[in-house]
Amino acid sequence: MALTDVNYLLASGASIRDLPKISLHDHLDGGLRPQTIIELADGVGYELPETEPQALAGWFAERSDSGSLLEYLKTFEVTCAVMQTREGLVRCAREYVNDLVADGVIYGEVRWAPEQHLERGLSLDDAVHAVQEGIDEGVDDAAHLGRDIRVGQLLSAMRQGDRARDIAELAVRHRLDGVVGFDVAGPEDGFPASLMAGTFDYLALQYLPVTVHAGEAAGIDSIRSALFDGRALRLGHGVRIAEDMEVDSEDADTMYVTVGPVAQWVKDRRIALELSPTSNLQTGAIAAWGSEIEKHPFDLLYQLGFAVTVNTDNRLMSNTTLSRELSILADAFSYDVSDLEVFQQNAAAAAFLPLEDREELADQIAHGFDQGLDAGD
Ligand SMILES: [Zn+2]
């Protein structure tokens, strides 16, 4: 199988792209279409490293694969540079929805950092309105195609910035017009959630759901702070929670594992892990286990009963889609359609939506997977 095959067929014959899916961890500035970047850059007079779509896509892929964090971060400078106007944000948000619909996603949470889009005079509120306008247009586009998708905004505060409280208040202000939660992104190492403790106290008093990037570039202490100081209901990646457990021995059907207190809590409380296989490889988040997808602790976490979800993180940089991430896992760990359904049901349960809406998503997934299986017979 070519890893870029979005029509990856499971043993049952079901195409992953046709199965209903949920995307919880997908950065708006990490998912732009190369052609869009070129047209928006032209409009604002920004000079790009490459001016042909394919060459530009290659430029992003190369930097993301380089193993250098600095090179990787340069790619976001480019995407953010063309997302400083209302038009740019509307278009990128609309295409985000269009692209997810094309990949079979029925519910998405799109995360982005409003503080990084103010260079050309937008206010924080203007930026949120612009993104919402694009989302609404994308949802309308889907309806015209007879497709159903729902999308919520997750507002990210940057760890290295000093606007966490502003972003938290912004999120609360827009919770009735499109914002479903709060996220913390940016350099994790050296910036534990505890540095924003006051902001998290405020969010807790407002009952706004929180996810925190933790357990990606730092280990258990960072996860502990996300849970304790951030009261995180989900962990952005969280893959390094596997550092809090040890496989003592293994035979044909049983694995004997000692699980530490942080991992036990995450497992027992169903704190969803927003795992992103390709991204986790590229950023070195799973370096302690190896440099191949087969070494990703995803399967260990799944087998132990953690609430694992599958995500794309940055579709442009990782040249991926949610279907592709699922096909990579299916290939590496021999998953079948029922495993993939568990990952979607885990995501439905962890969505930052009211209970009734999550139950509806769960029903949609169960129904769609049943149909997918029938189609494959
Ligand atoms: Zn992320």
Side-chain angles (χ1 to χ4, degrees), residues 304-367:
L304 289 174
F306 283 79
V308 295
T309 70
V310 182
N311 302 277
T312 51
D313 204 13
N314 299 295
R315 285 172 291 115
L316 169 67
M317 287 70 179
S318 296
N319 187 24
T320 200
T321 61
L322 189 50
S323 293
R324 181 173 175 266
E325 293 302 305
L326 289 165
S327 74
I328 289 170
L329 291 174
D331 230 25
F333 302 115
S334 305
Y335 292 147
D336 63 21
V337 73
S338 61
D339 297 304
L340 303 199
E341 182 175 358
V342 171
F343 310 151
Q344 304 317 309
Q345 291 293 5
N346 286 346
F352 287 164
L353 287 173
L355 178 64
E356 293 74 13
D357 297 15
R358 283 187 277 143
E359 288 172 345
E360 204 180 301
L361 278 181
D363 288 345
Q364 275 177 273
I365 290 162
H367 180 70

Side-chain angles (χ1 to χ4, degrees), residues 25 27 111 185 213 216 237 313-314:
H25 191 130
H27 293 263
R111 68 184 69 200
H213 277 78
E216 181 189 24
H237 305 294
D313 204 13
N314 299 295

Side-chain angles (χ1 to χ4, degrees), residues 168-179:
E169 289 179 6
L170 182 72
V172 168
R173 208 151 58 233
H174 291 280
R175 69 188 311 175
L176 295 179
D177 52 285
V179 174

Side-chain angles (χ1 to χ4, degrees), residues 62-83:
E62 225 171 82
R63 259 134 210 91
S64 311
D65 254 342
S66 68
S68 152
L69 187 62
L70 276 181
E71 289 296 310
Y72 187 64
L73 292 179
K74 266 189 206 161
T75 61
F76 290 93
E77 272 174 36
V78 171
T79 53
C80 281
V82 302
M83 299 169 75

Side-chain angles (χ1 to χ4, degrees), residues 8-37:
Y8 181 83
L9 290 178
L10 294 155
S12 65
S15 151
I16 294 182
R17 193 166 56 167
D18 294 337
L19 296 168
K21 292 176 288 296
I22 294 183
S23 171
L24 296 180
H25 191 130
D26 189 339
H27 293 263
L28 184 62
D29 56 335
L32 274 56
R33 301 174 183 173
Q35 180 66 38
T36 299
I37 298 172

